[in-house]
PDB file of all heavy atoms in Angstrom:
ATOM      1  N   VAL A 701      77.909 -82.735 -94.728  1.00 98.00           N
ATOM      2  CA  VAL A 701      78.177 -82.970 -93.299  1.00 98.00           C
ATOM      3  C   VAL A 701      77.380 -81.979 -92.467  1.00 98.00           C
ATOM      4  O   VAL A 701      77.521 -80.759 -92.629  1.00 98.00           O
ATOM      5  CB  VAL A 701      79.681 -82.836 -92.980  1.00 98.00           C
ATOM      6  CG1 VAL A 701      79.928 -83.116 -91.488  1.00 98.00           C
ATOM      7  CG2 VAL A 701      80.512 -83.784 -93.846  1.00 98.00           C
ATOM      8  N   PHE A 702      76.526 -82.494 -91.585  1.00 98.00           N
ATOM      9  CA  PHE A 702      75.756 -81.660 -90.664  1.00 98.00           C
ATOM     10  C   PHE A 702      76.559 -81.438 -89.386  1.00 98.00           C
ATOM     11  O   PHE A 702      77.310 -82.314 -88.952  1.00 98.00           O
ATOM     12  CB  PHE A 702      74.425 -82.327 -90.319  1.00 98.00           C
ATOM     13  CG  PHE A 702      73.459 -82.369 -91.474  1.00 98.00           C
ATOM     14  CD1 PHE A 702      73.505 -83.404 -92.399  1.00 98.00           C
ATOM     15  CD2 PHE A 702      72.512 -81.369 -91.642  1.00 98.00           C
ATOM     16  CE1 PHE A 702      72.620 -83.447 -93.471  1.00 98.00           C
ATOM     17  CE2 PHE A 702      71.624 -81.395 -92.712  1.00 98.00           C
ATOM     18  CZ  PHE A 702      71.677 -82.433 -93.622  1.00 98.00           C
ATOM     19  N   ARG A 703      76.369 -80.267 -88.786  1.00 98.00           N
ATOM     20  CA  ARG A 703      77.069 -79.954 -87.530  1.00 98.00           C
ATOM     21  C   ARG A 703      76.102 -79.298 -86.555  1.00 98.00           C
ATOM     22  O   ARG A 703      75.476 -78.285 -86.880  1.00 98.00           O
ATOM     23  CB  ARG A 703      78.261 -79.041 -87.786  1.00 98.00           C
ATOM     24  CG  ARG A 703      78.923 -78.526 -86.507  1.00 98.00           C
ATOM     25  CD  ARG A 703      80.181 -77.748 -86.779  1.00 98.00           C
ATOM     26  NE  ARG A 703      81.274 -78.649 -87.137  1.00 98.00           N
ATOM     27  CZ  ARG A 703      82.540 -78.246 -87.337  1.00 98.00           C
ATOM     28  NH1 ARG A 703      82.841 -76.977 -87.224  1.00 98.00           N
ATOM     29  NH2 ARG A 703      83.457 -79.124 -87.651  1.00 98.00           N
ATOM     30  N   ARG A 704      75.963 -79.888 -85.353  1.00 98.00           N
ATOM     31  CA  ARG A 704      75.181 -79.287 -84.274  1.00 98.00           C
ATOM     32  C   ARG A 704      76.100 -78.316 -83.521  1.00 98.00           C
ATOM     33  O   ARG A 704      76.968 -78.737 -82.754  1.00 98.00           O
ATOM     34  CB  ARG A 704      74.663 -80.370 -83.337  1.00 98.00           C
ATOM     35  CG  ARG A 704      73.495 -81.185 -83.876  1.00 98.00           C
ATOM     36  CD  ARG A 704      72.163 -80.461 -83.757  1.00 98.00           C
ATOM     37  NE  ARG A 704      71.871 -80.050 -82.389  1.00 98.00           N
ATOM     38  CZ  ARG A 704      71.330 -80.863 -81.469  1.00 98.00           C
ATOM     39  NH1 ARG A 704      70.994 -82.104 -81.781  1.00 98.00           N
ATOM     40  NH2 ARG A 704      71.099 -80.428 -80.247  1.00 98.00           N
ATOM     41  N   ILE A 705      75.906 -77.020 -83.761  1.00 98.00           N
ATOM     42  CA  ILE A 705      76.778 -76.019 -83.148  1.00 98.00           C
ATOM     43  C   ILE A 705      76.209 -75.491 -81.835  1.00 98.00           C
ATOM     44  O   ILE A 705      76.834 -74.662 -81.179  1.00 98.00           O
ATOM     45  CB  ILE A 705      77.046 -74.842 -84.110  1.00 98.00           C
ATOM     46  CG1 ILE A 705      75.736 -74.110 -84.451  1.00 98.00           C
ATOM     47  CG2 ILE A 705      77.740 -75.327 -85.373  1.00 98.00           C
ATOM     48  CD1 ILE A 705      75.946 -72.811 -85.210  1.00 98.00           C
ATOM     49  N   ASP A 706      75.014 -75.977 -81.435  1.00 97.00           N
ATOM     50  CA  ASP A 706      74.405 -75.529 -80.177  1.00 97.00           C
ATOM     51  C   ASP A 706      74.924 -76.311 -78.981  1.00 97.00           C
ATOM     52  O   ASP A 706      74.602 -75.974 -77.840  1.00 97.00           O
ATOM     53  CB  ASP A 706      72.881 -75.663 -80.252  1.00 97.00           C
ATOM     54  CG  ASP A 706      72.435 -77.087 -80.580  1.00 97.00           C
ATOM     55  OD1 ASP A 706      73.020 -77.685 -81.522  1.00 97.00           O
ATOM     56  OD2 ASP A 706      71.516 -77.602 -79.927  1.00 97.00           O
ATOM     57  N   LEU A 707      75.709 -77.340 -79.223  1.00 97.00           N
ATOM     58  CA  LEU A 707      76.200 -78.184 -78.134  1.00 97.00           C
ATOM     59  C   LEU A 707      77.524 -77.644 -77.597  1.00 97.00           C
ATOM     60  O   LEU A 707      78.240 -76.921 -78.284  1.00 97.00           O
ATOM     61  CB  LEU A 707      76.386 -79.620 -78.639  1.00 97.00           C
ATOM     62  CG  LEU A 707      75.131 -80.245 -79.268  1.00 97.00           C
ATOM     63  CD1 LEU A 707      75.464 -81.616 -79.851  1.00 97.00           C
ATOM     64  CD2 LEU A 707      74.008 -80.343 -78.252  1.00 97.00           C
ATOM     65  N   ALA A 708      77.863 -77.999 -76.359  1.00 95.00           N
ATOM     66  CA  ALA A 708      79.106 -77.520 -75.734  1.00 95.00           C
ATOM     67  C   ALA A 708      80.308 -77.878 -76.600  1.00 95.00           C
ATOM     68  O   ALA A 708      81.219 -77.064 -76.781  1.00 95.00           O
ATOM     69  CB  ALA A 708      79.246 -78.119 -74.337  1.00 95.00           C
ATOM     70  N   SER A 709      80.298 -79.096 -77.135  1.00 96.00           N
ATOM     71  CA  SER A 709      81.301 -79.507 -78.126  1.00 96.00           C
ATOM     72  C   SER A 709      80.548 -79.840 -79.398  1.00 96.00           C
ATOM     73  O   SER A 709      79.798 -80.827 -79.434  1.00 96.00           O
ATOM     74  CB  SER A 709      82.080 -80.737 -77.645  1.00 96.00           C
ATOM     75  OG  SER A 709      82.795 -80.440 -76.468  1.00 96.00           O
ATOM     76  N   PRO A 710      80.690 -79.026 -80.462  1.00 96.00           N
ATOM     77  CA  PRO A 710      79.959 -79.281 -81.704  1.00 96.00           C
ATOM     78  C   PRO A 710      80.185 -80.703 -82.200  1.00 96.00           C
ATOM     79  O   PRO A 710      81.287 -81.256 -82.076  1.00 96.00           O
ATOM     80  CB  PRO A 710      80.550 -78.254 -82.667  1.00 96.00           C
ATOM     81  CG  PRO A 710      81.003 -77.130 -81.784  1.00 96.00           C
ATOM     82  CD  PRO A 710      81.507 -77.802 -80.545  1.00 96.00           C
ATOM     83  N   VAL A 711      79.125 -81.297 -82.745  1.00 97.00           N
ATOM     84  CA  VAL A 711      79.175 -82.676 -83.233  1.00 97.00           C
ATOM     85  C   VAL A 711      78.885 -82.688 -84.730  1.00 97.00           C
ATOM     86  O   VAL A 711      77.890 -82.110 -85.175  1.00 97.00           O
ATOM     87  CB  VAL A 711      78.155 -83.565 -82.486  1.00 97.00           C
ATOM     88  CG1 VAL A 711      78.094 -84.963 -83.108  1.00 97.00           C
ATOM     89  CG2 VAL A 711      78.518 -83.660 -81.015  1.00 97.00           C
ATOM     90  N   ASP A 712      79.763 -83.333 -85.488  1.00 98.00           N
ATOM     91  CA  ASP A 712      79.587 -83.499 -86.927  1.00 98.00           C
ATOM     92  C   ASP A 712      78.905 -84.829 -87.215  1.00 98.00           C
ATOM     93  O   ASP A 712      79.292 -85.863 -86.646  1.00 98.00           O
ATOM     94  CB  ASP A 712      80.932 -83.477 -87.659  1.00 98.00           C
ATOM     95  CG  ASP A 712      81.557 -82.091 -87.689  1.00 98.00           C
ATOM     96  OD1 ASP A 712      80.877 -81.127 -87.291  1.00 98.00           O
ATOM     97  OD2 ASP A 712      82.722 -81.975 -88.106  1.00 98.00           O
TER      98      ASP A 712
END
Side-chain angles (χ1 to χ4, degrees):
V701 181
F702 291 86
R703 172 174 285 185
R704 285 281 304 277
I705 62 171
D706 56 313
L707 304 175
S709 297
V711 173
D712 289 351

